[in-house]
Amino acid sequence: MEKGIAHIDYPVCMACGVCVAACPFNCLELSKTDIDKLRNAYPALAMEHKCTGCGICAKACPVDSISIHP
């Protein structure tokens, strides 16, 4: 079985940071900017090699903007 990793749907994401706080492996960080006019910090998968695809970040997301894909 192939391991999955988190993918963020940025048009849906509201840059709240809940996923970053929920990740038990510290794979996500609020660093992706210039997506919107307000220059909000959006989550980015900073440590892709540490992501286990557990889905905790996806379950924590209040707007379902994260999915796990191979």
Side-chain angles (χ1 to χ4, degrees):
M1 184 166 97
E2 189 173 346
K3 179 183 121 170
I5 59 170
H7 291 273
I8 301 159
D9 184 3
Y10 289 108
V12 177
C13 179
M14 60 184 204
C16 66
V18 171
C19 60
V20 175
C23 178
F25 304 105
N26 297 318
C27 300
L28 296 167
E29 64 181 29
L30 287 175
S31 63
K32 194 166 178 76
T33 57
D34 295 330
I35 292 176
D36 62 13
K37 292 178 184 176
L38 299 176
R39 296 185 46 119
N40 288 325
Y42 285 84
L45 189 59
M47 304 253 186
E48 188 173 314
H49 66 282
K50 290 175 68 177
C51 182
T52 65
C54 67
I56 292 173
C57 59
K59 290 176 186 151
C61 180
V63 293
D64 296 324
S65 68
I66 301 175
S67 55
I68 307 300
H69 296 284

